[in-house]
Every structure is written in structure tokens, then in C-alpha cells.
Amino acid sequence: MGDAGEIHLQIAGTRGEDEARAVAGNGTSPAPPSVSERVQWWAVVLVNIVLVLAGQSVANLLGRIYYDQGGGSLWMATVVQSCGTPLAIPLLLYFGRRPKATATAVTRPPLLKISAIYAGLGVLLAGDNLMYSYALLYLPLSTYSLVCATQLSFNAVFSYFLNKQKFTALILNSVVLLTFSAALVGVSHGSDGTNSSVPPGKFPLGFALTLSASALFSLILSLMQLTFDKVLRSDTFYDVMEMQFWSNTAAAIVSVAGLFISGEWSTLHGEMDGYKKGRVAYGMTLAWTAISWQLTTMGLMGLVASVSSLFTNVISTVGLPLSPIIAVIFLGDRMDGVKVLAMLVAVWGFLSYIYQHYLDDAKVKKILAERSAEHRTVKLATE
């Protein structure tokens, strides 16, 4: 992400506008980003978007398959959501920390402070992953995905208080529509009409756990953005990978400890032998689930650093139409009228938020264009 992360953000809402106004009000500030810099920034953002959408869809599908084929360890389902962190080691070693040789270089915070933040985020991630594991066990994938869309509503609230993200009529409309979409699923008791092995009578608990996990996930994203903005005061590729690596390593340690403390580790051998598709399929399902979640996390962290936590949740919500469709095709879930209506309402809410970003982008571009014109005028006057 490197230099691309330093570009005045084109779609970051209030954050981008504030930076643009700072540029407009400071005659000694650098000129607006060049075309090549903007292309580079967009390329990085698009790569992260692909990682989030592809990784999230595959990981959720494999998680549901794990339960349907005989897997039953909730702590193992939690471990695989964060144990893929070793995949980030080659990137950390290759890029390394490259301090900026500029007058505005930021002093790195004390190691103890950073370690405490990463450990705290890791504990929150482990708890969030465990709730998601329970939720996916108790709900069909299509229902689970629709309820997860509420994380955008939660994140809008957390971003307002923690990240100074403004609330507009369009964002409020998006929050209301997504909440209404989840409520439709909740009152319909959408656990009917699926070939998945969903435990009977667990829908209310699964619904509540999904809501709770979505709220906690949104809080985590806002805290990560707050860490980039206020503590690290940097969002280079290395900083993103470092936070992703250490917070997920802490989450993996907590999850593995939970696996052993709960005693579920002793049942894994029997679970592997009883897996319907065989031992090899059992191992491959867990391995690819871990890889998929790792790619998803890398994409999420990249978007939080380069844009905002709220935009990250918007992109995560883009996968909303994908998971129910995948569940219908591969898992035999039934898309009844209520689910279809809930999905359409959620997509409407998502598009409302995207349009707000479009308006913010136009404002930022206008401010930067005015600043560029002033810069050229001053330069001509001094020659």
C-alpha cells in the first residue's frame, strides 16, 4: 500500500474531505495526487476488494460444508478463522519496515503500547470468531449472510463516535434499510427450507449470535482504523500486514487455548474418521477455510487502512447477494419470498451508501481541483 496509502482519499467520506480541506487551506502543502498515483491507489483498493469478496464467500461456504459433512468442533471452526497468519510472514519479510526519510516522519509508538493494542484486538477477534462459528452452525448460510449485513449499520454508529464519520440522510437510509432487512429474516424464522444440518429450535439463538458478532466485528474495524489514525499514524503496506499478523496470531492463540481447555481437541480424531467425505477431505476443508479467511482478513485490513472501516464494511456487504445464491446452488437452501425481499432491501441500502460515497468523491475532487488551480495561479504570479 506504501505511497498509495498516503494519497488524499477519493472515497473516504469525511476523512477524505477533511484532508482535502487541509490541502486547500495550506499554501505550502503538496500538490494533489498525480494520475499515476490515483491509478495505483485504485488498483490497491480493487485488489483488496477482490480478496474480501472471494475469500469471504468461499470461507462461509466451506464453514457450512464442514458442519454438514460431520464436523462439530466449534473451537476448531474458530481456530481456522485466524490460524492462516503464517501466510503473511513472506510478505512481512519481503517488504520489511522502510522508514520514511521525510521531515514529517512519525515516531513509532512504544512497543509495549502496540503489543497491548494488538493483543486486545486479538482477544476481541477470537470472541467474535467463536460467535460466528456458533451462528453458522445454527443458521442456514443464506439466512446467516442476510443477518450479517447488519454489520454495516453497527459500523456506521461506531464510525460516527470513534472515527468522526459523518451521518447523512443517505447513510441513515442505508442503516434503516439494512436493519429492516435483518428484521424481516428474524421474524420469518428463515431456518426452514434447507438441506443443511441445522439443529432444530436454535434459530433464535443463531440470530442473536449473528447480530452480536456483527456488532463486535464492526467495533473491531473501527478500533483498527482508530489505531491507524491516532496511534500508528501510518497506513503503509507493512503497517497493515503487521497489525493483521499480530492481532490474528493473538486470536489464534486464544482459540487454540479454548480448543484444549474445552476438551474438544480429544474429539478431533473421531471427528476426522467420521467425516462423510473422508479424512483427506476433512483436512482440505479446514486448510482451505483457513486460507480463505486469511485472504479475507488481508483484504479487510487493506481497505480499513487505505479507505475507512465503514467503506470496508460496505464492501463486505457486497457479498450479501453472493452467499445466498451460493447456498441455493451448493447447499440446497430455499430462497422464499421473504428472503428475496430481505436481500433486495439490503441491496437497496447498500446502493444508498455507495451513492453517498459518490457524492463525497465529487466534493473531494472539486476541492482538490480548486486547490490545484490556486497552486498554478500562485506559481504563475511569482514567476
Side-chain angles (χ1 to χ4, degrees), residues 217-252:
F217 178 73
S218 299
L219 175 61
I220 290 170
L221 288 182
S222 291
L223 290 175
M224 286 179 173
Q225 183 182 339
L226 189 66
T227 301
F228 282 124
D229 292 344
K230 302 299 183 181
V231 180
L232 298 177
R233 288 181 288 173
S234 173
D235 54 12
T236 64
F237 183 83
Y238 185 88
D239 291 319
V240 172
M241 293 303 301
E242 182 183 63
M243 178 184 285
Q244 185 271 334
F245 177 80
W246 289 113
S247 60
N248 275 271
T249 297

Side-chain angles (χ1 to χ4, degrees), residues 260-281:
F260 280 90
I261 293 173
S262 67
E264 285 190 2
W265 67 272
S266 61
T267 66
L268 295 181
H269 189 275
E271 181 177 286
M272 184 184 300
D273 290 335
Y275 202 67
K276 296 177 183 178
K277 296 293 184 179
R279 296 168 63 94
V280 174

Side-chain angles (χ1 to χ4, degrees), residues 225-345:
Q225 183 182 339
L226 189 66
T227 301
F228 282 124
D229 292 344
K230 302 299 183 181
V231 180
L232 298 177
R233 288 181 288 173
S234 173
D235 54 12
T236 64
F237 183 83
Y238 185 88
D239 291 319
V240 172
M241 293 303 301
E242 182 183 63
M243 178 184 285
Q244 185 271 334
F245 177 80
W246 289 113
S247 60
N248 275 271
T249 297
I253 292 173
V254 173
S255 302
V256 171
L259 179 67
F260 280 90
I261 293 173
S262 67
E264 285 190 2
W265 67 272
S266 61
T267 66
L268 295 181
H269 189 275
E271 181 177 286
M272 184 184 300
D273 290 335
Y275 202 67
K276 296 177 183 178
K277 296 293 184 179
R279 296 168 63 94
V280 174
Y282 178 84
M284 293 297 291
T285 299
L286 294 178
W288 282 108
T289 302
I291 293 172
S292 299
W293 278 124
Q294 174 65 19
L295 295 177
T296 302
T297 304
M298 290 172 63
L300 290 172
M301 295 290 295
L303 290 177
V304 168
S306 59
V307 188
S308 70
S309 64
L310 195 49
F311 182 80
T312 303
N313 245 327
V314 170
I315 296 303
S316 181
T317 309
V318 173
L320 169 70
L322 299 179
S323 293
I325 293 172
I326 290 174
V328 170
I329 295 174
F330 293 99
L331 301 177
D333 282 14
R334 179 171 59 86
M335 285 295 288
D336 57 22
V338 175
K339 284 186 181 180
V340 172
L341 180 60
M343 186 172 70
L344 293 176
V345 170

Side-chain angles (χ1 to χ4, degrees), residues 145-167:
S145 301
L146 290 171
V147 179
C148 280
T150 56
Q151 67 190 37
L152 180 57
S153 301
F154 289 119
N155 197 226
V157 176
F158 290 129
S159 294
Y160 176 80
F161 289 105
L162 297 178
N163 310 126
K164 298 181 180 180
Q165 178 77 38
K166 67 180 181 180
F167 251 118

Side-chain angles (χ1 to χ4, degrees), residues 9-90:
L9 305 182
Q10 307 300 313
I11 54 176
T14 303
R15 187 177 172 191
E17 290 184 49
D18 289 343
E19 292 182 2
R21 291 193 181 97
V23 171
N26 186 353
T28 61
S29 59
S34 65
V35 174
S36 63
E37 287 176 324
R38 292 177 65 182
V39 170
Q40 180 188 11
W41 183 84
W42 273 109
V44 171
V45 170
L46 289 175
V47 168
N48 286 320
I49 288 175
V50 171
L51 289 177
V52 171
L53 294 182
Q56 178 179 260
S57 298
V58 173
N60 284 330
L61 177 63
L62 290 175
R64 185 64 255 178
I65 289 175
Y66 167 74
Y67 290 132
D68 291 344
Q69 295 299 315
S73 174
L74 290 163
W75 277 107
M76 176 55 71
T78 303
V79 168
V80 296
Q81 294 182 54
S82 55
C83 71
T85 49
L87 295 175
I89 293 177

